Amino acid sequence: MDSYQIDNIAQNWRFVGISFVLILGVLGCSGPKIQSPSHGPEERALDYSGFGRESVTEEILERYAPPTAGGESFSLAQSLLDLRSPGFGIPSPDGQRLYFTWTVTGNRQVWRVDQPMGFPVQMTGGEDASFLQDVSPDGRWIVISRDRQGDEQFGIYLQSADGGPVREVFRRERVVASHEFFSDDSKYLYFRANAHRPDSFSIFRYNIENRLTEEVVRLTGFWSVLDHKADGRLLLREAKGNINNAVYEFDPETNDLTALLGKDEEESYFAKYSEAEGELLVLTNRFSDFHQLYRWKAGDFESITGERGVEISSFSITRDRSRVILSLNDRGYHRFEVYQLRPWTLMPLPEIENAEQIFRGSLSAGGRWLSLMLANSNRPSEVFVLDLEDLSFNKWLPSSSPEVDLSFAVQASLESYPARDGTPIPMFVWRPKICEVQLCPVIVDFHGGPEAQSIPSFSATALILQKRGFVFVQPNVRGSSGYGRAWIDADNQERRLNVITDIEDAAIFIRESWAKDGVSPKIGVMGGSYGGYSSLVAMSKFAGSYDAGVSIVGITSLLTFLQNTAPYRRALRISEYGDPETQAEILEQLSPINYRHQVKDPLLIIHGATDPRVPVGEALLMHDGVQEAGAESSLIIFADEGHGVRKRENQARMISYLVDFFETHLK
């Protein structure tokens, strides 16, 4: 992979979107038992233990199995899921091929095309999803990662760049492995894995010729590789949370691990080697509200980009260290810029039109070709390749819209609503044309993360809700990325108590400001992962604000979540949510389960049994608690899905369930 996406640390969770980015989880064991304190809004009598499919019985899976799908909503969902966009793609070193992932078969697989707009060749198959990770510098190999039924116990595999059988590089039960990079001579594949202990990732390398794996460095904590040098030195990142981290250099000759940045700090750093020995390019928000790019040497920072007032969300550098590509995030709208490194000079690029978003993809190994995704909020995205030498710009992968007239689809507008303290909260709004003149029900969709960001992108869920006459809203409440450090840090730990009301304030604004002839619209709430948690908060703590709610893989209790999620995840999430040992009262106040007796409007909960991040026990906990309190709750568990829904048939089912649910309760 050519870069580490800062704004993808906790990327926006999407049901059927262009960027379902997996945050790897360590599986198979739970953290130490946390005793639930007796204080808080309401003492809990409910509990569970563990995560993954083994944490629930077959009886439970049978009882809450997805019901038979059919009818107009299911047929419409199937039709709109045919509106497919390919993944970003990685150009081959010679620029003659593009490798990419695609869900056209109903499951994510790896494909290639051998020329722009060429006929796609399927490279992988099977019932489990395959994820393209890298192409070797010599162009002979591609790297694939796979798990089983969404359990996120990823293994690493090699395949010839021409196709054929896949070769297992590394896979172990209850171990997560992640590809890092190929050596410049294509002899070695480097990866990280928690092979020695479940809460720590060490670095390994695989010899492609003799098929032997050796440990490069054993580490404690969550580590990944930022960059490497030809002499074997590694630039390593130690995660202290989902945002903050430290940067080290490892020298294999001496086995020295030298701290460079962030060891005794709580800061965000992303770094690459520059072309000068001893110098790094560092992306950080240490000195400003937004991430900016600096040169660093011997502890001194020199600003390169200056204060721009927009987030530089990530960057990559070519292997010859001559060019730098910046990804910019301006209030949810993405674009990119290319610079010569010495002297720092902006390169002229072809003008790109008719795209709300331009996402930087991957560089070819030699750094000449760059894949780009052009995306809009009312039609599927397409993939182009930019030649950084002759500046030619060609479409390689078109979108497909079989038998669907998209004239009804509208572009998202950037609007805002006031929080109770007067802070404007940005939101993207898809308002169907008919809703300009008549009262329509509204669906508010909160993103995951919580450090993610909703952006104006295309999804089947948003499209079908528009088609059915719903206004679709995606807010970026405080705690979201893309709006500066103060905004993203606003909900950390006890500060969440001060801004959780952003959830209720969205409904208050919509009822008051979007009323017609004195009648307020009915409002539904939905979301996945942390967005599912937000939906549960909306329906319980802020009961009555929304008329119906759907929670998908959402957190019910921050205490039981931290207790049962994987050890390394628990450590990373404490910096965001709070420490169960010292901040249990705050966690109780923020947990929807403790407000279950306040729920008074219909609730639909959807979860995957193999989910390693938010255990399926969270769904059972809330469902049982709400029913015990006498309110209406429905629960659906997909036995063959994890933290989200990947398989096409299951996607169509889930979309039809939530659409029919909102149709029933909001119209």
Side-chain angles (χ1 to χ4, degrees):
M1 303 294 285
D2 69 295
S3 73
Y4 170 81
Q5 295 274 356
I6 285 181
D7 58 345
N8 283 351
I9 295 173
Q11 182 58 274
N12 192 7
W13 190 95
R14 298 202 176 280
F15 312 112
V16 192
I18 62 172
S19 57
F20 183 79
V21 178
L22 296 173
I23 306 172
L24 298 181
V26 183
L27 310 180
C29 56
S30 59
K33 186 68 176 179
I34 300 171
Q35 297 297 324
S36 300
S38 59
H39 47 249
E42 180 181 309
E43 185 175 354
R44 286 186 295 106
L46 306 171
D47 208 348
Y48 70 93
S49 178
F51 62 88
R53 182 158 179 166
E54 63 271 20
S55 69
V56 290
T57 65
E58 291 300 319
E59 179 187 357
I60 290 291
L61 294 178
E62 183 177 349
R63 183 187 309 168
Y64 298 113
T68 301
E72 184 181 352
S73 293
F74 183 71
S75 297
L76 183 57
Q78 289 279 24
S79 174
L80 295 181
L81 284 172
D82 283 334
L83 305 177
R84 296 187 181 92
S85 301
F88 278 97
I90 304 176
S92 61
D94 61 5
Q96 299 302 302
R97 286 177 169 177
L98 185 70
Y99 299 89
F100 62 100
T101 56
W102 203 14
T103 59
V104 68
T105 62
N107 206 351
R108 188 178 302 275
Q109 300 295 348
V110 178
W111 299 69
R112 79 164 197 268
V113 288
D114 296 334
Q115 62 184 17
M117 304 293 286
F119 188 83
V121 177
Q122 186 172 351
M123 303 279 287
T124 63
E127 65 175 348
D128 290 318
S130 295
F131 297 85
L132 176 66
Q133 299 296 326
D134 205 353
V135 179
S136 63
D138 63 7
R140 294 180 57 201
W141 303 98
I142 64 172
V143 182
I144 299 162
S145 65
R146 283 177 175 165
D147 65 352
R148 296 172 183 170
Q149 296 188 340
D151 66 5
E152 298 185 22
Q153 298 180 38
F154 284 97
I156 300 173
Y157 303 84
L158 273 177
Q159 185 182 41
S160 166
D162 295 323
V166 297
R167 180 203 299 184
E168 182 179 294
V169 172
F170 183 91
R171 178 173 175 82
R172 294 184 193 172
E173 291 296 324
R174 304 187 185 280
V175 171
V176 177
S178 180
H179 170 74
E180 292 288 3
F181 67 93
F182 279 105
S183 60
D184 293 343
D185 58 12
S186 298
K187 292 182 178 180
Y188 296 96
L189 182 158
Y190 286 73
F191 64 93
R192 70 176 184 265
N194 60 328
H196 299 300
R197 48 185 289 179
D199 62 349
S200 297
F201 283 77
S202 296
I203 310 301
F204 301 83
R205 75 173 184 177
Y206 173 80
N207 186 309
I208 295 175
E209 182 178 358
N210 64 25
R211 306 191 180 199
L212 296 179
T213 297
E214 61 180 317
E215 183 180 81
V216 176
V217 55
R218 183 172 296 196
L219 300 161
T220 300
F222 185 68
W223 293 77
S224 57
V225 179
L226 293 171
D227 206 352
H228 68 282
K229 282 188 172 287
D231 61 9
R233 281 179 290 167
L234 301 178
L235 198 62
L236 300 178
R237 169 186 178 269
E238 180 192 18
K240 297 182 176 182
N242 264 22
I243 300 296
N244 297 329
N245 50 70
V247 177
Y248 292 74
E249 184 177 58
F250 173 72
D251 188 337
E253 292 296 321
T254 62
N255 283 326
D256 289 337
L257 185 65
T258 304
L260 302 179
L261 295 163
K263 180 182 178 182
D264 299 315
E265 305 172 22
E266 293 297 326
E267 300 288 348
S268 169
Y269 293 108
F270 172 67
K272 293 280 189 182
Y273 286 117
S274 181
E275 89 290 3
E277 180 61 34
E279 183 177 274
L280 302 179
L281 298 180
V282 178
L283 191 63
T284 182
N285 59 0
R286 174 180 171 182
F287 307 105
S288 64
D289 197 34
F290 293 96
H291 282 87
Q292 304 299 333
L293 190 63
Y294 299 83
R295 285 192 179 91
W296 176 93
K297 190 169 186 177
D300 294 327
F301 289 85
E302 176 190 352
S303 177
I304 297 177
T305 56
E307 179 60 62
R308 302 186 56 167
V310 299
E311 185 81 355
I312 301 177
S313 55
S314 64
F315 78 94
S316 59
I317 186 169
T318 56
R319 283 183 181 247
D320 65 2
R321 312 290 159 175
S322 64
R323 294 191 181 106
V324 174
I325 299 94
L326 303 182
S327 293
L328 307 177
N329 178 354
D330 185 3
R331 300 176 303 160
Y333 292 95
H334 292 250
R335 64 184 190 275
F336 76 103
E337 294 173 345
V338 181
Y339 290 84
Q340 295 286 353
L341 183 56
R342 299 281 187 180
W344 185 258
T345 307
L346 179 65
M347 290 180 56
L349 298 174
E351 185 174 349
I352 300 175
E353 299 178 341
N354 301 319
E356 292 177 82
Q357 309 274 4
I358 306 173
F359 295 103
R360 173 182 61 82
S362 297
L363 281 164
S364 62
R368 176 172 176 175
W369 290 278
L370 174 68
S371 65
L372 301 170
M373 179 175 285
L374 275 58
N376 288 278
S377 55
N378 63 345
R379 63 180 184 270
S381 56
E382 298 182 313
V383 175
F384 290 69
V385 173
L386 173 65
D387 187 328
L388 295 176
E389 294 293 336
D390 64 20
L391 299 183
S392 60
F393 182 66
N394 296 302
K395 183 191 294 188
W396 276 69
L397 302 174
S399 61
S400 57
S401 305
E403 300 186 21
V404 176
D405 179 4
L406 286 175
S407 60
F408 72 91
V410 297
Q411 284 192 325
S413 61
L414 177 57
E415 303 178 19
S416 67
Y417 66 90
R420 59 195 61 189
D421 63 2
T423 301
I425 307 298
M427 61 179 174
F428 291 102
V429 180
W430 286 256
R431 187 177 285 105
K433 297 171 185 176
I434 193 173
C435 300
E436 299 285 352
V437 296
Q438 72 178 46
L439 187 69
C440 293
V442 179
I443 306 297
V444 180
D445 174 26
F446 289 98
H447 65 66
E451 311 94 335
Q453 180 187 34
S454 290
I455 61 174
S457 61
F458 180 85
S459 80
T461 304
L463 197 64
I464 193 172
L465 289 171
Q466 291 177 59
K467 184 81 170 174
R468 289 298 189 90
F470 291 91
V471 179
F472 188 62
V473 179
Q474 290 188 324
N476 282 309
V477 297
R478 282 172 283 192
S480 305
S481 63
Y483 300 92
R485 180 171 183 169
W487 192 270
I488 198 171
D489 288 346
D491 69 342
N492 288 354
Q493 299 189 354
E494 69 277 1
R495 281 173 280 181
R496 193 176 308 275
L497 291 168
N498 300 323
V499 299
I500 196 75
T501 49
D502 289 356
I503 295 171
E504 183 182 28
D505 290 341
I508 292 173
F509 171 80
I510 290 169
R511 288 195 193 279
E512 293 178 352
S513 300
W514 293 2
K516 292 186 184 296
D517 300 324
V519 179
S520 296
K522 288 191 174 183
I523 310 173
V525 62
M526 63 180 285
S529 193
Y530 183 80
Y533 162 82
S534 298
S535 297
L536 295 176
V537 169
M539 298 300 293
S540 59
K541 183 176 176 63
F542 302 124
S545 297
Y546 296 86
D547 300 296
V550 177
S551 171
I552 304 171
V553 296
I555 300 169
T556 291
S557 164
L558 292 174
L559 279 170
T560 56
F561 161 70
L562 290 171
Q563 171 187 327
N564 288 287
T565 196
Y568 100 89
R569 287 188 51 78
R570 179 174 183 265
L572 296 182
R573 302 319 288 155
I574 282 174
S575 65
E576 173 67 32
Y577 296 120
D579 189 338
E581 303 298 332
T582 60
Q583 297 173 298
E585 184 174 358
I586 293 171
L587 295 173
E588 289 278 28
Q589 291 182 58
L590 289 166
S591 293
I593 189 62
N594 293 323
Y595 304 92
R596 63 189 182 275
H597 286 92
Q598 296 179 196
V599 175
K600 58 184 179 181
D601 294 301
L603 178 64
L604 171 61
I605 301 172
I606 301 174
H607 219 103
T610 67
D611 192 340
R613 304 185 226 174
V614 179
V616 66
E618 292 290 304
L620 290 161
L621 189 68
M622 192 68 184
H623 174 67
D624 291 346
V626 170
Q627 285 205 327
E628 176 193 272
E632 180 181 343
S633 174
S634 300
L635 174 61
I636 297 170
I637 299 176
F638 288 92
D640 57 345
E641 299 283 5
H643 195 66
V645 176
R646 296 179 185 171
K647 298 177 180 177
R648 178 201 165 99
E649 187 72 12
N650 290 342
Q651 289 177 350
R653 287 181 176 187
M654 185 180 72
I655 293 172
S656 67
Y657 297 152
L658 68 88
V659 170
D660 287 343
F661 176 81
F662 285 134
E663 289 268 2
T664 299
H665 297 293
L666 301 182
K667 289 186 175 180

